[in-house]
Amino acid sequence: MATPPDYEEQTRVFLWCTPRSISTCFLKCLSFVDGVQAWHEPYHIPHIMEVMRLLTESDPGEDTTTLLTALASAMMSAREKSNEFSGGRLMPAEKFTYPWIKSQLEAEEPDKKYIFVKNSAYAICKNPEWLPDAPSRHTFIIRHPYLTMTSSRRMFMGMMSYKDDPSLFKLMPDVADHFYRSDYVNHLWKYVIDSGIEPDPIIIDAEDLMNYPEKILKKYLEALGIPYRKSYVTWDESEKSIKNWRGGSEWVIVGKQMGIFDKAFRSPCFLPKIHVMPKREDLTPDITGIIDRLMPGYEEMYKQRLKPE
């Protein structure tokens, strides 16, 4: 029988992200690194449940009600029916309270050397006391706000099955307020530095990762003390590996069905992309204010990122 690794020997690595930063694709890549147990957005689950409760109690408008109804229906369906991820290591979303998540992330993972936890920063910024009391590394993936917010806008249109003129769609302010009220990634980055948790956090930019995957992945893993293999930049494109992740089963299947994670789940590699940055005048008014809030923090972190050179 294999001996479980020592508590002190297991490396816990958090990958903190902003929405639409190819973080799920990156987690799939990392899940194929030898000895890794991947966790998919554990803190997001209690956060999204609280957001849905607050929005429901706030007398939401028609568009927000449409979104809430779609999410609630999809979550119920995912809870009641077996799916392609059933029978694996994913767990019922009802388990995911902040105290439970903390205890689970403090626990040992038998026969695993590395624990990678991917999560949006907004889900923990107000609750850092629920981070595990265990040796952990904190890393960050960032992406230009023009790209994340135009992608987020398309994501919400898909979640709501919006079929009209895209230029007429308006991201609901009450919804946006719960996810983009502040630059949570930048705030969390400064928190782990100022608190001494992670004096020099690793930062990677999504565009660098897509365009220079070998260089960025090698630097990222080596900075964490994890051996790099060239084979890590490609992986099985099927969704079989997702069953071995830890996370909320309903959120994984809902995210796939609503088009949030589907491309990442089917990814076999990082696809090189040189994005043409949208012009400021082409951005829609519903996201320009959010972008203005996010841009200073992004530019600050971008200067500190791992560079492909």
Side-chain angles (χ1 to χ4, degrees), residues 54-84:
L54 291 172
L55 287 172
T56 300
E57 293 174 353
S58 66
D59 191 24
E62 181 179 351
D63 289 341
T64 299
T65 299
T66 298
L67 176 63
L68 290 171
T69 301
L71 270 174
S73 176
M75 291 288 283
M76 182 175 295
S77 177
R79 187 178 303 118
E80 294 175 347
K81 300 177 182 177
S82 62
N83 56 67
E84 59 268 39

mmCIF file of all heavy atoms in Angstrom, residues 54-84:
data_model
loop_
_atom_site.group_PDB
_atom_site.id
_atom_site.type_symbol
_atom_site.label_atom_id
_atom_site.label_comp_id
_atom_site.label_asym_id
_atom_site.label_seq_id
_atom_site.Cartn_x
_atom_site.Cartn_y
_atom_site.Cartn_z
ATOM 1 N N LEU A 54 -29.079 37.116 -2.604
ATOM 2 C CA LEU A 54 -29.172 38.572 -2.472
ATOM 3 C C LEU A 54 -29.908 39.201 -3.649
ATOM 4 O O LEU A 54 -30.722 40.114 -3.475
ATOM 5 C CB LEU A 54 -27.768 39.169 -2.345
ATOM 6 C CG LEU A 54 -27.027 38.858 -1.039
ATOM 7 C CD1 LEU A 54 -25.584 39.340 -1.130
ATOM 8 C CD2 LEU A 54 -27.728 39.480 0.154
ATOM 9 N N LEU A 55 -29.634 38.721 -4.842
ATOM 10 C CA LEU A 55 -30.311 39.267 -6.014
ATOM 11 C C LEU A 55 -31.808 38.957 -5.976
ATOM 12 O O LEU A 55 -32.641 39.803 -6.311
ATOM 13 C CB LEU A 55 -29.689 38.705 -7.290
ATOM 14 C CG LEU A 55 -28.303 39.238 -7.668
ATOM 15 C CD1 LEU A 55 -27.733 38.449 -8.847
ATOM 16 C CD2 LEU A 55 -28.368 40.728 -8.008
ATOM 17 N N THR A 56 -32.149 37.750 -5.564
ATOM 18 C CA THR A 56 -33.558 37.367 -5.490
ATOM 19 C C THR A 56 -34.307 38.235 -4.491
ATOM 20 O O THR A 56 -35.473 38.613 -4.713
ATOM 21 C CB THR A 56 -33.682 35.888 -5.098
ATOM 22 O OG1 THR A 56 -33.012 35.077 -6.077
ATOM 23 C CG2 THR A 56 -35.138 35.456 -5.014
ATOM 24 N N GLU A 57 -33.654 38.581 -3.387
ATOM 25 C CA GLU A 57 -34.300 39.371 -2.337
ATOM 26 C C GLU A 57 -34.331 40.862 -2.659
ATOM 27 O O GLU A 57 -34.975 41.635 -1.933
ATOM 28 C CB GLU A 57 -33.567 39.158 -1.008
ATOM 29 C CG GLU A 57 -33.697 37.736 -0.467
ATOM 30 C CD GLU A 57 -32.855 37.514 0.777
ATOM 31 O OE1 GLU A 57 -32.076 38.442 1.133
ATOM 32 O OE2 GLU A 57 -32.969 36.436 1.380
ATOM 33 N N SER A 58 -33.661 41.279 -3.740
ATOM 34 C CA SER A 58 -33.532 42.717 -4.013
ATOM 35 C C SER A 58 -34.531 43.230 -5.041
ATOM 36 O O SER A 58 -34.340 44.312 -5.588
ATOM 37 C CB SER A 58 -32.115 43.012 -4.507
ATOM 38 O OG SER A 58 -31.894 42.402 -5.783
ATOM 39 N N ASP A 59 -35.584 42.455 -5.316
ATOM 40 C CA ASP A 59 -36.576 42.841 -6.322
ATOM 41 C C ASP A 59 -35.905 43.099 -7.670
ATOM 42 O O ASP A 59 -35.919 44.222 -8.195
ATOM 43 C CB ASP A 59 -37.347 44.086 -5.867
ATOM 44 C CG ASP A 59 -38.557 44.359 -6.753
ATOM 45 O OD1 ASP A 59 -39.053 43.407 -7.394
ATOM 46 O OD2 ASP A 59 -38.992 45.528 -6.815
ATOM 47 N N PRO A 60 -35.298 42.050 -8.254
ATOM 48 C CA PRO A 60 -34.512 42.232 -9.473
ATOM 49 C C PRO A 60 -35.372 42.585 -10.680
ATOM 50 O O PRO A 60 -36.575 42.303 -10.717
ATOM 51 C CB PRO A 60 -33.846 40.865 -9.664
ATOM 52 C CG PRO A 60 -34.788 39.901 -9.010
ATOM 53 C CD PRO A 60 -35.346 40.642 -7.828
ATOM 54 N N GLY A 61 -34.723 43.180 -11.666
ATOM 55 C CA GLY A 61 -35.411 43.511 -12.906
ATOM 56 C C GLY A 61 -35.626 42.277 -13.767
ATOM 57 O O GLY A 61 -35.223 41.160 -13.422
ATOM 58 N N GLU A 62 -36.232 42.482 -14.926
ATOM 59 C CA GLU A 62 -36.609 41.366 -15.797
ATOM 60 C C GLU A 62 -35.392 40.569 -16.266
ATOM 61 O O GLU A 62 -35.403 39.334 -16.246
ATOM 62 C CB GLU A 62 -37.376 41.902 -17.007
ATOM 63 C CG GLU A 62 -37.834 40.803 -17.968
ATOM 64 C CD GLU A 62 -38.602 41.348 -19.151
ATOM 65 O OE1 GLU A 62 -38.935 42.555 -19.146
ATOM 66 O OE2 GLU A 62 -38.869 40.570 -20.089
ATOM 67 N N ASP A 63 -34.325 41.249 -16.695
ATOM 68 C CA ASP A 63 -33.156 40.538 -17.214
ATOM 69 C C ASP A 63 -32.458 39.739 -16.122
ATOM 70 O O ASP A 63 -32.049 38.590 -16.337
ATOM 71 C CB ASP A 63 -32.166 41.518 -17.843
ATOM 72 C CG ASP A 63 -32.683 42.093 -19.148
ATOM 73 O OD1 ASP A 63 -33.591 41.490 -19.742
ATOM 74 O OD2 ASP A 63 -32.170 43.144 -19.573
ATOM 75 N N THR A 64 -32.333 40.330 -14.943
ATOM 76 C CA THR A 64 -31.705 39.609 -13.829
ATOM 77 C C THR A 64 -32.554 38.419 -13.420
ATOM 78 O O THR A 64 -32.031 37.338 -13.121
ATOM 79 C CB THR A 64 -31.487 40.550 -12.628
ATOM 80 O OG1 THR A 64 -30.622 41.619 -13.029
ATOM 81 C CG2 THR A 64 -30.860 39.812 -11.463
ATOM 82 N N THR A 65 -33.876 38.590 -13.423
ATOM 83 C CA THR A 65 -34.769 37.471 -13.106
ATOM 84 C C THR A 65 -34.611 36.345 -14.118
ATOM 85 O O THR A 65 -34.608 35.158 -13.745
ATOM 86 C CB THR A 65 -36.228 37.953 -13.072
ATOM 87 O OG1 THR A 65 -36.371 38.958 -12.062
ATOM 88 C CG2 THR A 65 -37.182 36.800 -12.770
ATOM 89 N N THR A 66 -34.468 36.700 -15.383
ATOM 90 C CA THR A 66 -34.244 35.687 -16.425
ATOM 91 C C THR A 66 -32.979 34.893 -16.141
ATOM 92 O O THR A 66 -32.957 33.656 -16.240
ATOM 93 C CB THR A 66 -34.139 36.354 -17.811
ATOM 94 O OG1 THR A 66 -35.378 37.003 -18.114
ATOM 95 C CG2 THR A 66 -33.838 35.328 -18.891
ATOM 96 N N LEU A 67 -31.914 35.590 -15.766
ATOM 97 C CA LEU A 67 -30.652 34.920 -15.457
ATOM 98 C C LEU A 67 -30.791 34.031 -14.232
ATOM 99 O O LEU A 67 -30.347 32.869 -14.243
ATOM 100 C CB LEU A 67 -29.557 35.965 -15.234
ATOM 101 C CG LEU A 67 -28.183 35.423 -14.812
ATOM 102 C CD1 LEU A 67 -27.594 34.535 -15.898
ATOM 103 C CD2 LEU A 67 -27.239 36.572 -14.486
ATOM 104 N N LEU A 68 -31.405 34.530 -13.173
ATOM 105 C CA LEU A 68 -31.564 33.746 -11.953
ATOM 106 C C LEU A 68 -32.403 32.501 -12.194
ATOM 107 O O LEU A 68 -32.093 31.417 -11.678
ATOM 108 C CB LEU A 68 -32.213 34.610 -10.868
ATOM 109 C CG LEU A 68 -31.351 35.731 -10.277
ATOM 110 C CD1 LEU A 68 -32.198 36.625 -9.396
ATOM 111 C CD2 LEU A 68 -30.188 35.159 -9.500
ATOM 112 N N THR A 69 -33.469 32.649 -12.986
ATOM 113 C CA THR A 69 -34.340 31.504 -13.290
ATOM 114 C C THR A 69 -33.577 30.447 -14.071
ATOM 115 O O THR A 69 -33.689 29.244 -13.787
ATOM 116 C CB THR A 69 -35.571 31.967 -14.090
ATOM 117 O OG1 THR A 69 -36.288 32.933 -13.321
ATOM 118 C CG2 THR A 69 -36.474 30.792 -14.414
ATOM 119 N N ALA A 70 -32.787 30.888 -15.046
ATOM 120 C CA ALA A 70 -32.005 29.949 -15.853
ATOM 121 C C ALA A 70 -30.986 29.208 -14.992
ATOM 122 O O ALA A 70 -30.813 27.985 -15.117
ATOM 123 C CB ALA A 70 -31.309 30.693 -16.993
ATOM 124 N N LEU A 71 -30.308 29.932 -14.108
ATOM 125 C CA LEU A 71 -29.312 29.303 -13.233
ATOM 126 C C LEU A 71 -29.957 28.314 -12.263
ATOM 127 O O LEU A 71 -29.470 27.195 -12.098
ATOM 128 C CB LEU A 71 -28.563 30.372 -12.437
ATOM 129 C CG LEU A 71 -27.293 30.948 -13.048
ATOM 130 C CD1 LEU A 71 -26.773 32.095 -12.187
ATOM 131 C CD2 LEU A 71 -26.223 29.882 -13.198
ATOM 132 N N ALA A 72 -31.054 28.725 -11.630
ATOM 133 C CA ALA A 72 -31.718 27.850 -10.665
ATOM 134 C C ALA A 72 -32.235 26.589 -11.329
ATOM 135 O O ALA A 72 -32.108 25.480 -10.784
ATOM 136 C CB ALA A 72 -32.861 28.607 -9.985
ATOM 137 N N SER A 73 -32.803 26.736 -12.518
ATOM 138 C CA SER A 73 -33.317 25.571 -13.244
ATOM 139 C C SER A 73 -32.189 24.625 -13.634
ATOM 140 O O SER A 73 -32.308 23.401 -13.492
ATOM 141 C CB SER A 73 -34.080 26.045 -14.486
ATOM 142 O OG SER A 73 -34.504 24.944 -15.265
ATOM 143 N N ALA A 74 -31.095 25.191 -14.115
ATOM 144 C CA ALA A 74 -29.966 24.361 -14.536
ATOM 145 C C ALA A 74 -29.337 23.644 -13.346
ATOM 146 O O ALA A 74 -28.962 22.474 -13.439
ATOM 147 C CB ALA A 74 -28.930 25.221 -15.256
ATOM 148 N N MET A 75 -29.219 24.335 -12.209
ATOM 149 C CA MET A 75 -28.641 23.716 -11.013
ATOM 150 C C MET A 75 -29.521 22.574 -10.520
ATOM 151 O O MET A 75 -29.027 21.510 -10.136
ATOM 152 C CB MET A 75 -28.465 24.766 -9.918
ATOM 153 C CG MET A 75 -27.403 25.806 -10.193
ATOM 154 S SD MET A 75 -25.705 25.203 -10.070
ATOM 155 C CE MET A 75 -25.502 25.145 -8.295
ATOM 156 N N MET A 76 -30.835 22.770 -10.535
ATOM 157 C CA MET A 76 -31.746 21.715 -10.083
ATOM 158 C C MET A 76 -31.669 20.502 -10.992
ATOM 159 O O MET A 76 -31.616 19.353 -10.524
ATOM 160 C CB MET A 76 -33.179 22.244 -10.031
ATOM 161 C CG MET A 76 -34.191 21.225 -9.533
ATOM 162 S SD MET A 76 -35.855 21.914 -9.355
ATOM 163 C CE MET A 76 -35.582 23.099 -8.037
ATOM 164 N N SER A 77 -31.636 20.741 -12.294
ATOM 165 C CA SER A 77 -31.537 19.638 -13.244
ATOM 166 C C SER A 77 -30.237 18.872 -13.049
ATOM 167 O O SER A 77 -30.215 17.636 -13.068
ATOM 168 C CB SER A 77 -31.626 20.174 -14.675
ATOM 169 O OG SER A 77 -31.464 19.135 -15.612
ATOM 170 N N ALA A 78 -29.120 19.600 -12.848
ATOM 171 C CA ALA A 78 -27.824 18.951 -12.653
ATOM 172 C C ALA A 78 -27.797 18.147 -11.356
ATOM 173 O O ALA A 78 -27.134 17.115 -11.271
ATOM 174 C CB ALA A 78 -26.717 20.005 -12.646
ATOM 175 N N ARG A 79 -28.541 18.611 -10.357
ATOM 176 C CA ARG A 79 -28.572 17.921 -9.069
ATOM 177 C C ARG A 79 -29.378 16.625 -9.155
ATOM 178 O O ARG A 79 -29.046 15.631 -8.495
ATOM 179 C CB ARG A 79 -29.186 18.850 -8.020
ATOM 180 C CG ARG A 79 -29.135 18.329 -6.598
ATOM 181 C CD ARG A 79 -29.715 19.338 -5.619
ATOM 182 N NE ARG A 79 -29.021 20.621 -5.708
ATOM 183 C CZ ARG A 79 -29.610 21.762 -6.058
ATOM 184 N NH1 ARG A 79 -30.905 21.790 -6.353
ATOM 185 N NH2 ARG A 79 -28.922 22.871 -6.102
ATOM 186 N N GLU A 80 -30.412 16.624 -9.975
ATOM 187 C CA GLU A 80 -31.347 15.496 -9.990
ATOM 188 C C GLU A 80 -30.976 14.410 -10.989
ATOM 189 O O GLU A 80 -31.439 13.279 -10.868
ATOM 190 C CB GLU A 80 -32.757 16.014 -10.299
ATOM 191 C CG GLU A 80 -33.333 16.908 -9.199
ATOM 192 C CD GLU A 80 -34.668 17.504 -9.581
ATOM 193 O OE1 GLU A 80 -35.026 17.422 -10.789
ATOM 194 O OE2 GLU A 80 -35.351 18.048 -8.687
ATOM 195 N N LYS A 81 -30.161 14.744 -11.979
ATOM 196 C CA LYS A 81 -29.863 13.785 -13.040
ATOM 197 C C LYS A 81 -28.388 13.407 -13.040
ATOM 198 O O LYS A 81 -27.525 14.233 -12.742
ATOM 199 C CB LYS A 81 -30.224 14.384 -14.404
ATOM 200 C CG LYS A 81 -31.685 14.753 -14.568
ATOM 201 C CD LYS A 81 -31.933 15.403 -15.920
ATOM 202 C CE LYS A 81 -33.375 15.824 -16.082
ATOM 203 N NZ LYS A 81 -33.608 16.521 -17.378
ATOM 204 N N SER A 82 -28.115 12.147 -13.380
ATOM 205 C CA SER A 82 -26.718 11.751 -13.569
ATOM 206 C C SER A 82 -26.206 12.372 -14.866
ATOM 207 O O SER A 82 -26.986 12.713 -15.761
ATOM 208 C CB SER A 82 -26.591 10.226 -13.617
ATOM 209 O OG SER A 82 -27.320 9.709 -14.717
ATOM 210 N N ASN A 83 -24.924 12.548 -14.959
ATOM 211 C CA ASN A 83 -24.341 13.169 -16.141
ATOM 212 C C ASN A 83 -22.980 12.552 -16.429
ATOM 213 O O ASN A 83 -22.549 11.610 -15.747
ATOM 214 C CB ASN A 83 -24.234 14.683 -15.949
ATOM 215 C CG ASN A 83 -23.453 15.048 -14.701
ATOM 216 O OD1 ASN A 83 -22.252 14.815 -14.621
ATOM 217 N ND2 ASN A 83 -24.138 15.606 -13.704
ATOM 218 N N GLU A 84 -22.300 13.092 -17.424
ATOM 219 C CA GLU A 84 -21.028 12.517 -17.849
ATOM 220 C C GLU A 84 -19.936 12.634 -16.800
ATOM 221 O O GLU A 84 -18.894 11.974 -16.898
ATOM 222 C CB GLU A 84 -20.566 13.178 -19.151
ATOM 223 C CG GLU A 84 -20.374 14.682 -19.079
ATOM 224 C CD GLU A 84 -21.619 15.466 -19.474
ATOM 225 O OE1 GLU A 84 -22.728 15.038 -19.101
ATOM 226 O OE2 GLU A 84 -21.471 16.498 -20.152
#
